[in-house]
Amino acid sequence: MRNWIGIRFSCHDAYLRVVVPPEGKKTTVKCPVCGREVDVMKGPGGSDRTYFEVGP
Ligand SMILES: [Zn+2]
């Protein structure tokens, strides 16, 4: 399984690859343009998706 996911910030059409943190931890991803933050975490009940889109 890949240990990274893709995140697209639709506010600025920016796409980033983020390394998935260890279970129970989270990592914060920022839009490179506006600095908008999104938390990424892995855990039970988490999704197996490898692509996420952050709405405007
Ligand atoms: Zn942005």
Side-chain angles (χ1 to χ4, degrees), residues 15-34:
Y15 178 80
L16 298 178
R17 278 184 188 177
V18 183
V19 175
V20 177
E23 196 159 324
K25 305 255 183 180
K26 70 177 182 178
T27 189
T28 302
V29 189
K30 282 188 183 180
C31 172
V33 182
C34 65

Side-chain angles (χ1 to χ4, degrees), residues 1-48:
M1 188 181 158
R2 293 189 300 182
N3 68 337
W4 56 267
I5 58 172
I7 296 190
R8 182 174 171 272
F9 286 90
S10 55
C11 54
H12 288 97
D13 204 22
Y15 178 80
L16 298 178
R17 278 184 188 177
V18 183
V19 175
V20 177
E23 196 159 324
K25 305 255 183 180
K26 70 177 182 178
T27 189
T28 302
V29 189
K30 282 188 183 180
C31 172
V33 182
C34 65
R36 172 186 189 145
E37 295 184 347
V38 180
D39 287 336
V40 173
M41 69 184 80
K42 178 184 177 180
S47 124
D48 287 334

